[in-house]
């Protein structure tokens, strides 16, 4: 009887000990996560381009609280697993026949050779480091507009068209920044003043493309992004594309404007929304895709004239083709939104819900492969490339 009692006591002690250890480990995990993310600015994640839960072994699987942030978030793989995105074996220009338009010739310019031909890579230069050494993390953003001349003085290494590539190493990423635009000159000046220094520190081979459309057609943000994709590929052999609203200013240069392994939503935390994700499936504001991803998804729908719906449609397109949206931490993917009122030329789109509900049936025939537009002019300005287009809404909606 005594032996049996002793055994029960030992089992109780072991049970209490196990529960104590499990609780202790849970507390340590929470403290460690809070400490690292708050005091090191997610440095560990960016040093190897992986998530914190993957880097620290004690975390094991993602906790429910972390994964509930967005069910579509997945771990961003290390750069070493993204070779196909960094240096594709065949990056030929998109077939203009597929775009249903005739070739567009850029206007004559004394520097046109810099823009329409591949820049020669110096094979003696090393690859740029995986983690750019001059990144500073959180930034003080500029919210007062300065002239384009002053922007150029602050970024004197820019080439015509707002192009840049590192001088001392070979960039790992060739990126086109596509900005859908209408009558926001002050916002554009503020964005470029903030964005150029960030991209230069990130050691990216990049160009900035501002895509505009003539009046009186209702603004079509999604179609302008498709046009920017198509036109940028005629100018340079870009590997990936950042689609960027003109009123969003990045607040952290560790939010890398690089080629994503999977479509990446970049403007995760915006001050207007108290730095919280408005809803889990959001894909608007600033987003990144590779050329291959854009072609597989068939880009954005061309039918969203007016405000609203195109980003939710794009999120659905991404998931239909088997991709998952990835995001960086809210501590890093932070943006300040420039205050503005909605333009009268951009009314709410009354068809947006119907278009979203019928998106699956249209995806393979409504997008990059059905683009119809006319390029009025292309200007290779000192701090950006300006593309003015005309879109016939009736023709586009008729299909």
């Amino acid at each position: 009887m005594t032996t049996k009692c002793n055994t029960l006591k030992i089992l109780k002690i072991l049970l209490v000990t196990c529960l104590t250890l499990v609780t202790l480990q849970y507390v340590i995990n929470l403290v460690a996560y809070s400490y690292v993310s708050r005091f090191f600015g997610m440095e560990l994640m960016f040093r190897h381009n992986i998530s914190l839960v993957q880097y620290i072994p004690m975390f094991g699987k993602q906790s429910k609280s972390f994964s509930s942030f967005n069910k579509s978030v997945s771990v961003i793989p290390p750069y070493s697993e993204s070779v196909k995105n960094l240096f594709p074996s065949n990056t030929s220009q998109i077939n203009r026949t597929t775009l249903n338009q005739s070739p567009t010739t850029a206007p004559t310019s004394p520097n046109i050779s810099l823009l329409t031909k591949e820049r020669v890579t110096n094979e003696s230069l090393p690859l740029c480091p995986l983690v750019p050494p001059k990144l500073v993390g959180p930034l003080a953003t500029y919210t007062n507009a300065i002239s384009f001349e002053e922007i150029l003085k602050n970024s004197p290494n820019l080439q015509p068209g707002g192009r840049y590539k590192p001088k001392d190493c070979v960039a790992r990423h060739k990126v086109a920044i596509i900005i859908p635009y209408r009558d926001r000159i002050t916002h554009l000046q503020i964005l470029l003043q903030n964005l150029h220094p960030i991209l230069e520190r990130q050691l990216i081979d990049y160009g900035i493309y501002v895509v505009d459309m003539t009046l009186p057609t209702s603004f079509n943000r999604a179609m302008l992004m498709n046009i920017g994709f198509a036109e940028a590929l005629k100018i340079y052999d870009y590997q990936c594309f950042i689609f960027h609203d003109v009123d969003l200013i990045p607040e952290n240069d560790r939010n890398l404007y690089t080629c994503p392994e999977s479509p990446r939503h970049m403007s995760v935390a915006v001050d207007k929304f108290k730095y919280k994700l408005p809803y889990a499936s959001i894909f608007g504001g600033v987003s990144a895709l590779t050329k291959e991803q854009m072609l597989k998804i068939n880009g954005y729908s061309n039918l969203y004239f007016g405000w609203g719906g195109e980003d939710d449609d794009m999120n659905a397109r991404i998931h239909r083709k088997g991709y998952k949206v990835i995001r960086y931490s809210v501590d890093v993917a932070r943006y300040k939104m420039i205050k503005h009122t909605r333009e009268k030329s951009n009314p709410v789109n009354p068809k947006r819900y119907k278009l979203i509900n019928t998106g699956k049936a249209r995806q393979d025939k409504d997008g990059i492969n059905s683009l119809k537009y006319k390029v009025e002019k292309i200007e290779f300005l000192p701090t950006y490339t300006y593309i003015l287009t005309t879109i016939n809404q009736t023709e586009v909606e008729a299909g």
Side-chain angles (χ1 to χ4, degrees):
M1 185 69 179
T2 303
T3 304
K4 189 174 182 179
C5 290
N6 290 337
T7 303
L8 288 174
K9 287 181 181 179
I10 293 172
L11 289 175
K12 287 181 180 180
I13 293 171
L14 289 174
L15 181 60
V16 170
T17 303
C18 289
L19 290 173
T20 302
L21 289 174
V22 170
T23 302
L24 183 61
Q25 184 181 14
Y26 179 75
V27 172
I28 290 173
N29 287 353
L30 290 178
V31 172
Y33 177 80
S34 175
Y35 179 83
V36 173
S37 63
R38 182 175 300 178
F39 293 97
F40 289 94
M42 300 301 287
E43 179 70 23
L44 293 175
M45 182 177 81
F46 285 95
R47 189 152 312 269
H48 296 283
N49 199 27
I50 58 179
S51 74
L52 187 63
V53 291
Q54 183 185 15
Y55 186 83
I56 302 179
M58 74 172 67
F59 281 167
K61 296 181 180 180
Q62 289 184 344
S63 67
K64 290 183 179 180
S65 60
F66 187 89
S67 61
S68 65
F69 171 70
N70 181 3
K71 293 181 180 179
S72 63
V73 172
S74 61
V75 173
I76 302 173
Y79 281 116
S80 59
E81 297 182 11
S82 305
V83 176
K84 65 179 183 296
N85 287 339
L86 303 182
F87 297 100
S89 59
N90 181 14
T91 51
S92 59
Q93 289 190 1
I94 187 170
N95 190 316
R96 290 193 177 95
T97 304
T98 304
L99 297 175
N100 291 335
Q101 67 169 78
S102 58
T104 301
T105 303
T108 304
S109 166
N111 296 304
I112 197 69
S113 60
L114 292 174
L115 301 158
T116 57
K117 295 181 180 179
E118 288 289 333
R119 288 174 282 180
V120 177
T121 299
N122 188 338
E123 294 182 357
S124 64
L125 293 177
L127 280 176
C128 294
L130 284 172
V131 180
K134 295 184 179 181
L135 299 183
V136 297
L139 304 169
T141 55
Y142 300 100
T143 55
N144 294 323
I146 63 175
S147 69
F148 292 112
E149 290 76 16
E150 290 177 289
I151 294 171
L152 185 60
K153 286 181 181 179
N154 295 334
S155 299
N157 294 320
L158 290 177
Q159 297 180 0
R163 298 280 298 279
Y164 173 85
K165 73 170 184 176
K167 292 182 177 180
D168 301 324
C169 59
V170 178
R172 294 174 178 268
H173 305 262
K174 294 190 287 187
V175 184
I177 314 295
I178 310 297
I179 302 174
Y181 177 84
R182 173 174 282 181
D183 194 24
R184 295 275 196 92
I185 192 71
T186 300
H187 292 178
L188 181 61
Q189 289 170 325
I190 295 172
L191 175 61
L192 295 181
Q193 178 190 7
N194 286 273
L195 193 56
H196 275 304
I198 291 173
L199 299 178
E200 291 178 23
R201 288 198 298 273
Q202 291 184 358
L203 301 178
I204 301 169
D205 181 353
Y206 74 89
I208 294 182
Y209 297 84
V210 176
V211 192
D212 198 356
M213 59 187 289
T214 58
L215 293 170
T217 307
S218 296
F219 191 65
N220 190 327
R221 174 175 171 272
M223 190 169 178
L224 289 180
M225 291 189 285
N226 281 344
I227 293 172
F229 171 82
E231 292 299 319
L233 280 174
K234 297 174 187 177
I235 295 171
Y236 193 54
D237 198 9
Y238 291 105
Q239 301 162 306
C240 47
F241 298 79
I242 310 291
F243 300 99
H244 207 300
D245 282 358
V246 73
D247 57 4
L248 287 176
I249 310 302
E251 296 185 24
N252 193 315
D253 63 4
R254 290 195 177 101
N255 187 12
L256 301 178
Y257 279 57
T258 52
C259 298
E261 184 72 16
S262 188
R264 184 167 76 234
H265 180 229
M266 299 182 65
S267 52
V268 178
V270 180
D271 64 341
K272 179 181 178 180
F273 305 115
K274 298 181 180 179
Y275 296 105
K276 295 179 181 179
L277 204 66
Y279 55 96
S281 62
I282 189 172
F283 196 70
V286 185
S287 53
L289 299 98
T290 66
K291 183 175 77 170
E292 290 74 17
Q293 290 161 7
M294 274 290 287
L295 292 174
K296 184 175 179 180
I297 293 165
N298 198 19
Y300 289 80
S301 167
N302 296 317
L303 299 180
Y304 286 85
F305 289 90
W307 182 89
E310 71 276 1
D311 292 318
D312 292 330
D313 184 292
M314 184 58 163
N315 182 71
R317 285 177 170 237
I318 289 168
H319 286 88
R320 286 191 203 107
K321 295 301 180 179
Y323 294 114
K324 291 188 70 175
V325 173
I326 58 177
R327 293 187 173 106
Y328 286 153
S329 161
V330 293
D331 296 326
V332 173
R334 297 170 70 87
Y335 286 79
K336 186 182 298 295
M337 180 177 285
I338 305 171
K339 293 181 179 180
H340 62 91
T341 57
R342 188 181 303 153
E343 298 88 345
K344 293 181 180 179
S345 60
N346 188 28
V348 173
N349 181 0
K351 301 178 181 178
R352 62 191 186 279
Y353 297 119
K354 181 179 179 181
L355 288 171
I356 291 172
N357 291 333
T358 58
K360 182 177 181 180
R362 295 191 331 271
Q363 179 162 352
D364 292 334
K365 57 184 179 182
D366 166 28
I368 293 171
N369 64 0
S370 64
L371 273 173
K372 296 177 182 178
Y373 64 97
K374 178 183 177 183
V375 173
E376 299 293 344
K377 65 178 178 180
I378 299 179
E379 294 180 329
F380 300 107
L381 303 173
T383 57
Y384 65 96
T385 298
Y386 178 71
I387 303 173
L388 178 64
T389 66
T390 294
I391 298 172
N392 185 323
Q393 182 172 345
T394 303
E395 183 182 13
V396 172
E397 291 180 333

